[in-house]
Amino acid sequence: MLELAVLGLLQEAPMHGYELRKELATKLGTIRAAISYGTLYPTLKRLNAAGWISETAPEDAMVPPLTSKRGRIVYKITAEGKERFADLLAQAGPETYDDAGFGVHFAFFARTDRATRLRILEGRRRRIEERREGLREVLSRAADRLDAYTLELQRHGLEACEREVRWLEELITNERSGRSPAAPAAETSTESPRPHQDRPL
């Protein structure tokens, strides 16, 4: 999933490692905790070895003393990398229904064809429905054996599943009808209301 995310971001613009990590954390909030330099740079090294990205280090860039040269290396996607990104984007297997996989794919849905988007959304809905039913079963069979905090955690998980299923069903309905997700309602006026002024007596 990190490979897909890196290739997708580099297709937007060349970046160095710090910029990539920052953009990944912004775009993939659901898995940002898993993104560290210890996972990012090995991925970049592997993508470079495969010929999917290239590295450039500007000759005129000055490296501060006691600073790694790594910080000024700029990564750029190659033509082969663009093909690899398109292949990854078209995948809609079970791994795309999990939390991390779904989050990464959803972040690039604007560049994914509608049929693939629909398969991923339907697969994700089935996955969350299964999770929801499992939580319902726990609550119905073992609620009396759980302490108050564990019970509340289970209820919280169930509510989260129910909300996500409703959200996914709305997205699926939009995809089937060819609509994009609804944008926030625009305000009727751009001017702020004037404060009330007392009329002179």
Side-chain angles (χ1 to χ4, degrees):
M1 292 302 106
L2 186 56
E3 176 183 318
L4 171 64
V6 168
L7 292 175
L9 288 175
L10 290 181
Q11 189 154 304
E12 296 174 0
M15 301 181 195
H16 57 65
Y18 175 78
E19 289 173 319
L20 264 173
R21 187 169 183 265
K22 185 178 178 181
E23 288 299 314
L24 285 166
T26 299
K27 202 172 186 74
L28 311 175
T30 54
I31 61 168
R32 62 179 177 269
I35 301 169
S36 66
Y37 291 117
T39 57
L40 176 58
Y41 282 107
T43 300
L44 291 170
K45 184 177 180 180
R46 181 169 53 82
L47 295 178
N48 184 53
W52 296 328
I53 65 172
S54 61
E55 298 179 353
T56 58
E59 295 180 358
D60 58 348
M62 296 297 293
V63 182
L66 304 178
T67 301
S68 171
K69 183 182 177 182
R70 172 187 291 174
R72 68 188 183 103
I73 293 177
V74 176
Y75 301 92
K76 182 178 180 181
I77 194 168
T78 63
E80 292 80 5
K82 291 178 180 179
E83 292 178 4
R84 174 63 175 170
F85 175 69
D87 290 341
L88 292 172
L89 212 56
Q91 294 178 9
E95 70 280 357
T96 64
Y97 311 151
D98 294 330
D99 294 343
F102 177 74
V104 174
H105 274 268
F106 193 82
F108 296 103
F109 257 24
R111 286 185 261 170
T112 307
D113 66 88
R114 190 170 69 175
T116 301
R117 290 197 303 262
L118 194 55
R119 286 198 302 273
I120 293 174
L121 289 171
E122 290 174 340
R124 175 66 175 180
R125 181 179 60 181
R126 289 192 299 272
R127 183 65 52 83
I128 299 302
E129 285 174 340
E130 292 170 0
R131 188 181 299 174
R132 180 187 63 185
E133 295 311 308
L135 288 168
R136 283 178 176 172
E137 186 174 353
V138 168
L139 287 171
S140 65
R141 291 187 177 184
D144 57 338
R145 299 196 301 272
L146 300 175
D147 64 78
Y149 293 100
T150 303
L151 184 60
E152 190 61 26
L153 183 62
Q154 297 296 319
R155 286 175 176 165
H156 174 71
L158 178 58
E159 290 173 2
C161 287
E162 290 172 341
R163 284 195 302 271
E164 184 167 353
V165 168
R166 289 194 297 270
W167 174 67
L168 289 165
E169 287 175 344
E170 182 179 350
L171 289 170
I172 290 169
T173 299
N174 286 339
E175 289 293 338
R176 287 175 175 165
S177 60
R179 295 194 306 267
S180 298
E187 295 187 12
T188 55
S189 174
T190 56
E191 296 182 1
S192 58
R194 295 180 179 178
H196 175 71
Q197 295 179 349
D198 292 332
R199 294 181 181 179
L201 297 175

